Amino acid sequence: MSKEENKKLFIETLGCQMNDTDSQHIIAELKEHKNYSTTRNMEEADLIIINTCSVREKPVQKLFSEIGQFNKKKKDSAKIGVCGCTASHLGDDIMKRAPYVDFVLGARNISKIKDVVDKKGAVEIDIDYDDSTYQFAASGMNMYKTSVNISIGCDKECTYCIVPATRGEEISIPLEMIVEQVQKDVANGAVEVTLLGQNVNSYGRRFSDGREKTSFTKLLQEVSKIDGLERIRFTSPHPLHMDDEFIEEFAKNPKISKCIHMPLQSGSSSILKAMKRGYSKEGFLKRAKKIRDLIPEVRITTDIIVAFPGETQEDFEDTIDVIKQVRFDQIFNFKYSARPNTQALELEDKEIPDEIGSARLTEVIELHKLHQSEHMDSNIGKTVNVLFESLKPNGEVSGFTDNYCQVFVKGSDELLGRFVDVKITGATRTALKGEVIN
Ligand code: 5AD
Ligand code: SF4
């Protein structure tokens, strides 16, 4: 069989880190099986893929205007594929609205990319499809860091969230497959891994082969035994599953990066109940305190949704109170966005006027900026250990501390892939500047 000619793939990725990894899988599969290589120039591409997000409404609106633009500018022969969560939830409606789209591939069907790519009109969006044991081709991206999916789907029913409808029920990837993947990446030079899932710390409750249950803590212990792997990160965990066993492992395992995402969503116990988050304001605060007490240098990040239907001023003040008590190192803020296939749609009559939502969002952002500046400034004068990973065009080298603070220094590619002590000389709200200590 003659080798197929080399073709160009332009891929745009929206949304979360799961989507980034899915895009890496798409790139690797199309390279291995269909001889595609990537291009950053959409106009020379033979295949254009958008890997979409549907968590909030805006990215969905953006999708249609964007593919319209792509269709005008692309080569005549180029195909367009829509993948990811919006593909799952809109399915063949995408082709009805945009008939020039060649295929639609849902977030849970990524392993079928090599089959749909040459099938005009293909729509694969089955949310019961299980590719938890599919071996994707090797992706070979960033030398020093890798990301590995540990589960697909989500079993929670957070009432605002479309993800269970787009990514389906949660299935864990077998532990030995995860370990093998990380070992391979370490053999290729990786020193850091991020374990990915919609709800990582509920890992191990259901496998497609019906094997015995295990836990996320056990997975962390096994992954940390891998020689040559220096740093383990994970996202996103759920505060509900941060039991003592997990928190203690997080605190004492030296390979685990001391930065943790604790998605609060709301500080009000009654809104948390309406969101079906499974914890109260007090429960969240207790866990955050335990983590800060055990690990003084920990950085805690969070997600907050303001203006969930029915959120009173008092509820919102509870959110502000939690922010003041925990003093998050980073907050990802969102204004509630009503999504199809979610339970919160039933609360339509309690929706909060947009101006109130915007004002609450601004208040969260402004308060958070103060905390961020204080946190970052407190590093000035300290010596921190940094894993350097990328060279910037301005001659700076960037890396991250163990608690995942970004640091820039003047230097060369000799620093890449190494852990180096740095004296911090300056700070902005999002990054530190320093000098390498020789
Ligand atoms: N509206 C606003 N924010 C949302 N998120 C998820 N669904 C919605 C929604 N309908 C936010 C949550 C979640 C993050 C990934 O996106 O904060 O943690
Ligand atoms: Fe959505 Fe909740 Fe699952 Fe996160 S845990 S993906 S917010 S349903």
Side-chain angles (χ1 to χ4, degrees):
M1 201 175 75
S2 69
K3 183 136 176 85
E4 277 186 75
E5 64 174 309
N6 182 273
K7 287 167 288 183
K8 295 281 181 207
L9 162 68
F10 174 87
I11 185 162
E12 178 175 290
T13 309
L14 309 170
C16 65
Q17 266 180 284
M18 300 285 290
N19 264 15
D20 286 336
T21 313
D22 288 345
S23 288
Q24 291 315 323
H25 285 155
I26 291 174
I27 294 168
E29 289 286 294
L30 291 178
K31 182 172 173 212
E32 172 101 2
H33 301 288
K34 296 283 170 181
N35 208 21
Y36 276 95
S37 58
T38 50
T39 173
R40 283 164 178 255
N41 177 3
M42 186 275 293
E43 291 175 31
E44 69 161 15
D46 301 289
L47 172 61
I48 296 165
I49 288 182
I50 309 191
N51 197 6
T52 58
C53 169
S54 58
V55 160
R56 281 167 295 279
E57 199 182 355
K58 268 202 190 128
V60 179
Q61 291 163 348
K62 210 178 120 195
L63 168 71
F64 284 100
S65 65
E66 196 156 34
I67 47 180
Q69 287 300 317
F70 285 163
N71 186 45
K72 276 192 204 137
K73 294 191 185 145
K74 75 180 181 67
K75 282 203 305 205
D76 277 351
S77 59
K79 296 178 207 169
I80 298 183
V82 177
C83 302
C85 288
T86 308
S88 307
H89 108 85
L90 293 181
D92 53 11
D93 280 354
I94 293 178
M95 280 165 185
K96 286 185 196 137
R97 260 176 90 169
Y100 44 83
V101 168
D102 290 273
F103 63 88
V104 172
L105 186 68
R108 202 172 167 121
N109 301 259
I110 295 302
S111 61
K112 298 180 193 159
I113 183 70
K114 60 183 188 300
D115 308 322
V116 296
V117 69
D118 296 322
K119 235 192 243 172
K120 172 91 188 144
V123 177
E124 291 283 352
I125 52 166
D126 178 5
I127 62 159
D128 293 326
Y129 184 69
D130 175 9
D131 66 5
S132 64
T133 54
Y134 183 84
Q135 298 271 7
F136 286 95
S139 92
M141 279 299 292
N142 186 315
M143 285 276 295
Y144 312 110
K145 325 185 183 196
T146 180
S147 313
V148 176
N149 287 350
I150 66 165
S151 56
I152 57 176
C154 180
D155 275 354
K156 289 276 176 282
E157 291 183 3
C158 301
T159 54
Y160 51 81
C161 186
I162 196 173
V163 168
T166 59
R167 289 192 179 256
E169 72 174 8
E170 185 175 303
I171 298 182
S172 298
I173 294 172
L175 200 148
E176 69 280 2
M177 271 182 76
I178 298 168
V179 170
E180 214 173 282
Q181 181 62 52
V182 181
Q183 278 167 336
K184 259 193 223 158
D185 293 340
V186 168
N188 286 324
V191 283
E192 176 182 308
V193 66
T194 304
L195 306 174
L196 287 177
Q198 230 63 56
N199 188 355
V200 281
N201 52 346
S202 74
Y203 176 82
R205 289 185 310 157
R206 188 190 303 119
F207 292 94
S208 56
D209 60 5
R211 68 174 65 195
E212 228 179 273
K213 290 184 187 185
T214 179
S215 71
F216 184 57
T217 305
K218 175 81 181 146
L219 175 69
L220 287 173
Q221 288 163 347
E222 291 304 312
V223 171
S224 62
K225 285 181 193 155
I226 297 172
D227 277 341
L229 180 69
E230 304 289 346
R231 189 184 274 171
I232 302 170
R233 308 188 68 229
F234 49 84
T235 202
S236 281
H238 193 303
L240 179 65
H241 303 297
M242 293 186 182
D243 55 18
D244 286 350
E245 193 195 23
F246 163 77
I247 293 177
E248 276 149 30
E249 183 66 28
F250 176 72
K252 72 166 195 258
N253 187 328
K255 287 196 178 179
I256 299 179
S257 163
K258 298 301 179 265
C259 177
I260 191 162
H261 191 57
M262 289 186 78
L264 169 67
Q265 313 299 1
S266 168
S268 150
S269 294
S270 65
I271 294 292
L272 286 167
K273 203 165 176 199
M275 289 176 162
K276 292 203 180 159
R277 290 291 290 173
Y279 53 87
S280 62
K281 175 183 181 185
E282 291 68 33
F284 184 94
L285 284 171
K286 210 170 112 198
R287 272 163 218 191
K289 182 170 182 328
K290 176 156 183 169
I291 291 174
R292 285 238 194 262
D293 286 350
L294 284 174
I295 317 153
E297 77 280 13
V298 76
R299 293 179 77 243
I300 302 183
T301 63
T302 199
D303 291 343
I304 285 174
I305 300 176
V306 298
F308 183 80
E311 183 185 74
T312 62
Q313 184 59 23
E314 212 182 349
D315 292 320
F316 175 64
E317 274 159 22
D318 273 327
T319 300
I320 294 289
D321 184 41
V322 176
I323 297 174
K324 285 185 175 160
Q325 292 198 49
V326 180
R327 306 175 72 79
F328 296 103
D329 293 84
Q330 190 168 4
I331 300 182
F332 301 94
N333 307 281
F334 309 104
K335 192 162 40 167
Y336 171 73
S337 162
R339 307 303 298 120
N341 305 320
T342 60
Q343 297 171 45
L345 282 184
E346 289 163 19
L347 305 173
E348 208 178 4
D349 56 333
K350 293 188 183 169
E351 270 187 20
I352 305 295
D354 200 47
E355 340 49 282
I356 297 184
S358 298
R360 288 181 182 168
L361 197 62
T362 307
E363 195 173 331
V364 169
I365 293 170
E366 290 307 316
L367 174 62
H368 174 50
K369 278 186 187 167
L370 293 178
H371 295 162
Q372 247 183 334
S373 300
E374 284 172 22
H375 282 305
M376 296 301 271
D377 289 350
S378 73
N379 287 293
I380 297 175
K382 284 189 184 161
T383 298
V384 296
N385 191 254
V386 178
L387 166 59
F388 285 103
E389 62 179 55
S390 61
L391 195 59
K392 302 290 161 194
N394 64 358
E396 287 187 325
V397 191
S398 136
F400 287 84
T401 59
D402 178 55
N403 61 6
Y404 233 68
C405 217
Q406 190 166 25
V407 179
F408 290 92
V409 297
K410 287 252 174 287
S412 70
D413 55 4
E414 276 176 22
L415 290 172
L416 298 179
R418 287 171 49 206
F419 288 84
V420 179
D421 281 340
V422 172
K423 176 138 179 137
I424 299 303
T425 54
T428 65
R429 271 193 298 108
T430 51
L432 301 173
K433 250 188 193 326
E435 285 160 11
V436 169
I437 298 176
N438 290 304

